[in-house]
Amino acid sequence: MVITMNNFRTENLNNLYSIGCNLLYSIVFLALIFSNVASAIDLDTYISKNKVTNGFTLATSRKPAPLVVSSKDFAGVIRISKHLQKDIENVTGTAPKLFTDSIPKSNEIVIIGTIGKSPIIDQLIKNKILNVDNIIGKWEVSLIQTIENPFPNVERALVIAGSDKRGTIYGIYDLSEKIGVSPWYFWADVPVQKKENIYIKPGRYTYGEPKVKYRGIFINDEAPALTGWSRVRFGGFNSKFYEHVFELILRLKGNYLWPAMWGSAFYDDDPENPRLADEYGVVIGTSHHEPMMRAHDEWRRYGKGAWNYEKNDSTLRDFWSQSIKRMGTYESVVTLAMRGDGDEAMSPTANVALLERIVADQRKILADVTGKDLTKIPQVWAIYKEVQEYYDKGMRVPDDVTILLCDDNWGNVRKLPKASDLQRSGGFGMYYHYDFVGGPRNYKWLNTSQIERVWEQMHLSYRYGIDRIWIVNVGDIKPMEFPISFFLDFAWDPEKIQASDLPEYSRRWAERQFGAKYSKEIAEVLNKYTKFNSRRKPEMLDPNTYSLVNYREAETVVSEYNSLVEKAERVGKKLPKEYSDGFYQLILHQPSACATVNELYVTVGKNRLYANQGRAATNNFARQARELFKKDSLITHYYNNVMANGKWAHMMDQTHIGYTYWQQPDKNYMPEVKEIQIPNIADMGVAIEGSEKWFPNEKSEAILPEFDVYNQQTYYIEVFNRGKIPFQYLIEPQKSWIKTNKNKGKIETEERIWVSIDWKKTPKGKHRIPITITGPNKAQVVVYAIVKNPENPKLNQIKGFVESNGYVSIEAENYSNAIGNSTINWITIPNLGRTASSVTAMPVVVEPQTLTEDSPRLEYQVHLFTAGELNVHFYISPIQNFGYGEGIRFASSFNDEKPQIINIQEGEVIPDWKYPQWWNQMVSDNVKKITLKHKIQKPGEQVLKFWLIDPGVVLQKIIIVTGELKPSYLGPPQSFNRAIK
């Protein structure tokens, strides 16, 4: 079991760098281990299906232990106790009896209660049967413990006690999840895992306090999907709807909600909404542009005059006063300040004085209406979009107000606190996005957020002191189930989940939903589809996104997606039938839907290319594209209307095909395809890998990409018909060691011929070998194979990555050497990035490095055949200048040359948040490309060095360009390296 380490940081923000500080941490760590009596819950340890010595029998032979709760406890605790009663019934087939205030005659009972609120729990404490010394007075702490002889005629009890209301509720829901009720049982139709016998191991279990105080979700951009669904099922965003939301948040150990707000008003639509939230224990706030607990739509309903404080301040103050009166004693976090109407900037320039006056007036309203000490009312100021300019110009809010920093709407943190600011009592929060409406495109349809990226950015945020509020924009809730779970799990304890734990997190999440047997395969699907989806948001795809001819990029993307779908389908068929709806929602639907859309755009791209080449297959690809467009609509129809007996009507109504600018189209539009008239002749065309040209139409030579003995490539030649009449073809390489998988055949539309080299028979040196293709009417096309088989270095002597076709492509994780120091080390973040895994330096809170020969760096050994000037492209994860200097820096060098330092943000500004081109490119590509020039003195073995200067840089890929790099979205696949098998 893991020791509880409340509020312990492994990185001190103010004095991280000294050896003495590291020694102090070791002492504190050991002291905590040996002084803390309570141990943290190791999530899977306290439940057993077999009877254990001195254990507690929760249920056996359809006889569950009775539940006991006090009527004097919180109403929410009593309500959730009834949820546990129902959960046990669903798991075991029998509902336990629920007693209030009386102790049943039973050998074993479950006692539920809040310290200081439940007389039953307080009596156990008074009698020294239950020790809560390490729990009492803490924030949201739950304790699960078996105790002996708590009352007369009761031999053993399982106690679920909380330091406060949510602490008790979390303990109840944790037990529910451990016995087999997924938090997603309603929202994703995950069936409960049936059990006849359930035992609790003896012991004392607690999660301790959460490391982040307020942890929640923002329902946003909810039309048409969630809006349509809620209207059909509940009649709108009313208390019937929100009851399911509150339950989900608490089952996931969250506590905070920004409610749906486009055309909706949480308080005004149904007065039961806030009352029920308070009963459940969910803290309500409002979004970054909805001050003083009023929904945006309420101004449309009740506001008078302009939403302008300079011109209409008294009306606005009255408007806000009413909402604070309405809030009453409900647990809330009040948003301060003001933005323009409709989530827009308030003014063209940062009017700091005006905004400071607004905040002062709002706080006066809070004090006057509530009569409370302002420092006791949770308040937040969101530094969103253009508001960051106010912050950068020096605007500050009172010390007790939480400053909510934000990402750039695309998951990239914009600003982090200075160490000198961390003592403010209100602390800092982070507003993050899984969903967004705005430039360069809306992304609302499916999950495109890798948990690995969420981990990296939120780990960065936490280590810089952001621990008061974590809130994430989740759009329609569905289909963001997996990243929502991760966000809230990580928020509870960001110190518990390390980068290396992420694959296991995915597997365990899959296990909790679908059992252990296929959890590894399911996790692989989860991780791969989120990687594929995050390469480029589906809304941003077009027929030219992936190269149709270079590096087989487009067809590889399609093949990877389709293979993933096939794998998911195979696993799904092995699961019991009752899992089919949940499996489709959580696992199969997203790769299926995105595979279809990716293949649609690639097919349209091929159709247009083939039309330009006059291929007879052109019209077939037009037909295939239309079929894929229809397939997309059928996937949507199945999700909305067939799956789960139509439970999720409208949930997949979000348009996603046919974007022409940032805003969504009113419906999905079929991309334009071309059809051509095919003549009634036999007419041969030839295309080669790496070129959009076709022959003999082109006057230039047809030259395949270079073959070399190290990479031992295979390339294709496509022979195609430009007419309706089939023809025979013949392929004749000039040398016998040039191999083709076919040397003759019949072409009706087209055929791909694979060319390879028999390296055992290939002479040393560089060769240019013609391959002659003969078609109808003795028409001929000559394709040249450039074959490189140097005398030296020998294949078994080569070291590092080998240049070929004018480049060396390297995945960052495959470094030759990682050099750190006593403070800094390099870690791999598994699966993060567009093609493989990424590498970054830890810790992320560290002083900028002054470069010396011993400085931290990654080294990549390469073999170059080319000397002279070359370019090196570094693909790094998107990054903003989150610090307070001129930008984030790294350096690169070859061999012993002086490192070149690059400022990633040099020349990059965001004027009034107008979506500058550099930012549009970065978030669209989901990678930042930095190019540096270097000069190599002589060919041969080289060492490329990537030097750490500023923390936070995440390296994904490196491409060394010695010649002509062909256009592609992902870059060429990794080059040969004998060390990598």
Side-chain angles (χ1 to χ4, degrees):
M1 286 179 274
V2 182
I3 298 300
T4 302
M5 298 170 59
N6 297 332
N7 300 323
F8 178 74
R9 291 284 178 86
T10 57
E11 296 171 55
N12 182 284
L13 297 174
N14 299 316
N15 189 13
L16 180 66
Y17 318 112
S18 69
I19 296 174
C21 188
N22 290 334
L23 179 60
L24 175 63
Y25 289 154
S26 300
I27 295 170
V28 171
F29 180 80
L30 291 171
L32 282 166
I33 287 177
F34 291 110
S35 66
N36 200 327
V37 177
S39 57
I41 293 176
D42 185 358
L43 297 180
D44 298 317
T45 57
Y46 69 86
I47 296 291
S48 174
K49 63 181 180 181
N50 300 314
K51 192 171 181 64
V52 292
T53 303
N54 297 324
F56 178 85
T57 304
L58 183 64
T60 184
S61 302
R62 301 177 67 88
K63 294 180 181 178
L67 312 179
V68 178
V69 65
S70 171
S71 61
K72 292 182 173 60
D73 212 322
F74 293 100
V77 169
I78 297 170
R79 177 186 286 269
I80 306 307
S81 297
K82 295 175 182 177
H83 289 193
L84 177 61
Q85 181 184 34
K86 184 64 175 178
D87 290 345
I88 292 173
E89 179 184 16
N90 288 335
V91 171
T92 67
T94 304
K97 292 181 179 180
L98 177 62
F99 294 85
T100 55
D101 299 326
S102 62
I103 305 300
K105 293 181 180 180
S106 178
N107 289 338
E108 295 182 301
I109 62 173
V110 178
I111 302 172
I112 300 167
T114 309
I115 299 168
K117 190 71 174 176
S118 167
I120 303 172
I121 293 294
D122 290 349
Q123 187 64 44
L124 293 174
I125 297 170
K126 182 179 179 180
N127 294 342
K128 297 184 178 181
I129 296 173
L130 183 66
N131 184 343
V132 295
D133 290 348
N134 289 346
I135 296 168
I136 193 167
K138 298 289 182 68
W139 178 262
E140 299 181 342
V141 178
S142 57
L143 171 66
I144 296 176
Q145 181 177 350
T146 54
I147 59 176
E148 304 294 325
N149 304 310
F151 299 107
N153 302 318
V154 177
E155 292 181 3
R156 184 174 293 119
L158 177 70
V159 174
I160 303 174
S163 63
D164 53 23
K165 175 168 61 177
R166 281 189 293 273
T168 309
I169 289 172
Y170 292 151
I172 297 170
Y173 276 147
D174 188 73
L175 179 61
S176 284
E177 184 175 10
K178 298 309 177 296
I179 67 174
V181 180
S182 167
W184 297 101
Y185 80 94
F186 173 81
W187 283 97
D189 298 305
V190 177
V192 300
Q193 299 174 19
K194 303 292 185 180
K195 296 179 179 69
E196 184 175 348
N197 301 317
I198 305 172
Y199 302 96
I200 311 297
K201 298 177 183 178
R204 177 180 172 87
Y205 307 98
T206 178
Y207 281 101
E209 286 186 298
K211 299 295 195 302
V212 177
K213 186 169 187 177
Y214 295 109
R215 311 164 306 281
I217 64 173
F218 176 22
I219 302 171
N220 193 218
D221 311 321
E222 60 271 14
L226 189 65
T227 299
W229 176 76
S230 67
R231 286 173 180 167
V232 168
R233 188 168 181 90
F234 302 111
F237 292 120
N238 53 31
S239 56
K240 294 178 182 177
F241 164 82
Y242 276 112
E243 183 170 5
H244 291 285
V245 176
F246 302 151
E247 180 184 342
L248 175 68
I249 290 172
L250 292 170
R251 283 184 184 267
L252 293 171
K253 294 185 175 63
N255 60 9
Y256 186 40
L257 173 68
W258 287 359
M261 45 75 61
W262 286 111
S264 303
F266 181 78
Y267 271 85
D268 197 53
D269 290 341
D270 184 351
E272 181 69 2
N273 285 343
R275 191 210 66 78
L276 191 63
D278 197 65
E279 179 179 318
Y280 266 89
V282 173
V283 182
I284 298 299
T286 50
S287 71
H288 50 84
H289 70 108
E290 298 178 292
M292 301 293 281
M293 300 306 293
R294 296 215 79 149
H296 168 258
D297 202 58
E298 289 189 77
W299 183 253
R300 179 188 64 80
R301 300 178 189 184
Y302 308 117
K304 297 177 181 178
W307 179 265
N308 185 312
Y309 204 73
E310 289 181 296
K311 299 177 181 179
N312 202 16
D313 58 342
S314 62
T315 303
L316 283 162
R317 283 195 296 271
D318 181 63
F319 180 71
W320 292 332
S321 295
Q322 292 175 30
S323 59
I324 298 304
K325 290 177 184 176
R326 183 180 63 184
M327 177 185 75
T329 59
Y330 294 148
E331 193 175 4
S332 309
V333 176
V334 179
T335 298
L336 298 181
M338 186 177 181
R339 294 188 72 226
D341 192 15
D343 200 11
E344 298 292 340
M346 188 170 65
S347 60
T349 58
N351 190 337
V352 172
L354 174 62
L355 199 59
E356 287 179 337
R357 179 160 69 91
I358 292 171
V359 171
D361 289 352
Q362 289 171 336
R363 282 170 62 84
K364 186 176 186 304
I365 291 170
L366 278 172
D368 291 345
V369 172
T370 66
K372 293 181 179 179
D373 178 354
L374 278 173
T375 63
K376 306 301 182 184
I377 303 173
Q379 301 153 68
V380 64
W381 178 40
I383 311 299
Y384 182 71
K385 280 192 176 181
E386 83 291 335
V387 181
Q388 185 171 307
E389 186 182 355
Y390 292 73
Y391 187 77
D392 291 342
K393 288 187 175 181
M395 178 178 168
R396 293 296 183 267
V397 290
D399 195 63
D400 59 282
V401 178
T402 301
I403 295 176
L404 186 70
L405 300 166
C406 304
D407 69 0
D408 61 359
N409 302 308
W410 289 70
N412 311 305
V413 170
R414 293 182 67 199
K415 183 72 69 178
L416 294 173
K418 292 180 180 178
S420 58
D421 292 335
L422 292 177
Q423 301 307 312
R424 60 190 325 279
S425 61
F428 289 85
M430 180 58 67
Y431 170 36
Y432 201 75
H433 284 76
Y434 291 161
D435 168 288
F436 178 59
V437 167
R441 289 279 169 86
N442 297 345
Y443 64 96
K444 300 170 58 179
W445 179 41
L446 296 180
N447 173 32
T448 58
S449 297
Q450 289 185 278
I451 65 166
E452 295 85 359
R453 177 63 169 167
V454 178
W455 180 90
E456 185 266 323
Q457 288 290 282
M458 294 310 296
H459 169 85
L460 184 73
S461 301
Y462 177 72
R463 293 303 181 188
Y464 272 80
I466 296 178
D467 61 5
R468 185 59 54 90
I469 296 173
W470 283 19
I471 189 158
V472 59
N473 186 326
V474 300
D476 301 304
I477 299 179
K478 298 179 69 64
M480 307 297 178
E481 299 95 340
F482 178 49
I484 290 172
S485 286
F486 178 76
F487 189 88
L488 294 178
D489 280 344
F490 194 40
W492 184 276
D493 188 355
E495 296 170 15
K496 184 173 184 179
I497 302 176
Q498 304 303 316
S500 57
D501 299 325
L502 293 170
E504 177 63 8
Y505 177 89
S506 300
R507 191 203 64 77
R508 292 182 68 175
W509 189 85
E511 179 179 349
R512 290 197 294 271
Q513 317 313 318
F514 306 108
K517 189 172 184 180
Y518 303 108
S519 60
K520 183 178 179 181
E521 294 92 327
I522 293 171
E524 288 171 355
V525 174
L526 277 171
N527 293 334
K528 283 189 176 180
Y529 94 67
T530 50
K531 172 186 282 291
F532 296 164
N533 286 2
S534 70
R535 286 172 171 170
R536 194 170 187 88
K537 313 265 187 209
E539 293 87 343
M540 298 201 70
L541 293 170
D542 63 50
N544 301 311
T545 297
Y546 298 110
S547 176
L548 299 170
V549 296
N550 296 322
Y551 314 121
R552 297 175 214 156
E553 182 175 67
E555 62 191 65
T556 299
V557 167
V558 170
S559 175
E560 286 178 336
Y561 259 121
N562 289 336
S563 295
L564 191 63
V565 173
E566 291 172 4
K567 179 174 185 173
E569 289 175 337
R570 287 195 302 270
V571 173
K573 291 175 181 177
K574 296 175 184 178
L575 292 172
K577 187 176 181 180
E578 61 265 26
Y579 284 100
S580 60
D581 289 335
F583 184 80
Y584 187 82
Q585 290 168 65
L586 296 178
I587 308 300
L588 180 55
H589 169 251
Q590 299 213 51
S592 298
C594 279
T596 300
V597 172
N598 273 267
E599 187 173 3
L600 166 63
Y601 280 112
V602 170
T603 303
V604 171
K606 285 186 175 181
N607 163 262
R608 296 177 185 178
L609 174 63
Y610 290 2
N612 292 336
Q613 296 176 343
R615 294 200 193 196
T618 298
N619 299 343
N620 292 341
F621 277 82
R623 185 185 70 254
Q624 290 176 28
R626 294 189 187 99
E627 290 172 352
L628 287 164
F629 184 75
K630 182 179 180 181
K631 181 180 178 181
D632 172 82
S633 69
L634 294 175
I635 290 173
T636 298
H637 173 77
Y638 178 80
Y639 195 110
N640 283 346
N641 304 310
V642 179
M643 179 190 71
N645 296 317
K647 175 181 175 180
W648 299 106
H650 297 293
M651 191 57 82
M652 280 300 128
D653 281 359
Q654 183 59 54
T655 53
H656 49 276
I657 302 174
Y659 274 77
T660 57
Y661 69 118
W662 72 268
Q663 185 57 284
Q664 66 196 50
D666 57 355
K667 63 179 182 179
N668 290 327
Y669 285 94
M670 170 68 197
E672 181 184 1
V673 292
K674 296 183 178 181
E675 293 190 346
I676 61 175
Q677 293 294 322
I678 303 171
N680 193 31
I681 58 173
D683 184 11
M684 182 180 74
V686 174
I688 60 172
E689 184 164 353
S691 175
E692 292 186 359
K693 299 175 181 178
W694 70 277
F695 305 89
N697 181 64
E698 290 293 329
K699 303 303 180 186
S700 58
E701 292 182 322
I703 304 175
L704 288 167
E706 183 178 272
F707 298 85
D708 70 81
V709 68
Y710 310 105
N711 289 277
Q712 300 195 5
Q713 303 92 334
T714 299
Y715 297 119
Y716 65 77
I717 298 171
E718 288 180 338
V719 182
F720 59 86
N721 198 344
R722 302 182 74 245
K724 293 182 179 179
I725 300 176
F727 63 83
Q728 301 288 329
Y729 71 90
L730 179 67
I731 296 183
E732 298 174 289
Q734 188 183 74
K735 299 294 183 179
S736 61
W737 39 269
I738 303 288
K739 299 294 184 182
T740 58
N741 67 319
K742 291 183 69 174
N743 58 17
K744 62 181 178 179
K746 182 180 180 181
I747 299 294
E748 295 189 1
T749 54
E750 59 188 11
E751 187 170 357
R752 179 173 286 188
I753 312 301
W754 293 99
V755 182
S756 59
I757 310 299
D758 185 345
W759 292 104
K760 293 181 179 180
K761 298 179 180 178
T762 302
K764 298 297 181 180
K766 189 171 183 178
H767 313 279
R768 187 174 188 268
I769 310 300
I771 303 170
T772 303
I773 301 125
T774 304
N777 303 317
K778 298 184 179 180
Q780 289 189 334
V781 171
V782 178
V783 175
Y784 291 93
I786 309 301
V787 182
K788 185 176 180 179
N789 188 21
E791 187 71 36
N792 287 300
K794 300 286 193 296
L795 181 60
N796 61 359
Q797 297 174 333
I798 203 76
K799 293 181 180 179
F801 293 93
V802 183
E803 175 192 351
S804 180
N805 284 292
Y807 69 85
V808 178
S809 181
I810 306 168
E811 297 293 350
E813 63 181 328
N814 295 318
Y815 48 79
S816 310
N817 199 11
I819 296 169
N821 58 30
S822 60
T823 302
I824 295 166
N825 66 290
W826 296 90
I827 68 162
T828 297
I829 306 178
N831 196 52
L832 174 59
R834 305 192 310 171
T835 50
S837 298
S838 298
V839 182
T840 193
M842 289 289 161
V844 292
V845 183
V846 68
E847 290 180 332
Q849 300 296 292
T850 301
L851 294 180
T852 69
E853 62 181 13
D854 297 322
S855 290
R857 64 191 180 272
L858 297 171
E859 295 184 345
Y860 296 88
Q861 193 163 34
V862 298
H863 191 101
L864 301 180
F865 298 101
T866 307
E869 192 172 81
L870 52 76
N871 289 326
V872 181
H873 301 320
F874 294 96
Y875 287 25
I876 63 175
S877 292
I879 187 170
Q880 298 269 14
N881 183 18
F882 58 79
Y884 293 83
E886 295 299 316
I888 309 296
R889 300 161 298 164
F890 68 88
S892 74
S893 64
F894 273 97
N895 305 319
D896 296 325
E897 72 174 343
K898 182 180 179 180
Q900 293 185 49
I901 299 175
I902 182 71
N903 179 348
I904 296 169
Q905 283 82 32
E906 186 172 0
E908 296 180 351
V909 294
I910 304 181
D912 302 323
W913 195 258
K914 296 296 184 183
Y915 301 115
Q917 180 54 37
W918 66 263
W919 180 84
N920 283 332
Q921 191 72 48
M922 178 180 74
V923 298
S924 299
D925 295 346
N926 199 24
V927 77
K928 180 77 174 175
K929 300 177 186 177
I930 304 293
T931 300
L932 293 177
K933 290 187 179 296
H934 288 276
K935 191 169 184 178
I936 299 299
Q937 297 301 321
K938 62 179 181 179
E941 294 180 5
Q942 324 287 338
V943 177
L944 173 64
K945 301 173 183 179
F946 177 85
W947 300 81
L948 171 69
I949 298 180
D950 294 310
V953 180
V954 179
L955 181 63
Q956 294 190 12
K957 186 169 185 167
I958 301 171
I959 303 174
I960 302 169
V961 184
T962 60
E964 179 186 0
L965 188 67
K966 298 283 188 177
S968 66
Y969 182 72
L970 299 173
Q974 183 164 261
S975 301
F976 169 77
N977 180 353
R978 191 163 58 89
I980 299 175
K981 301 299 183 183

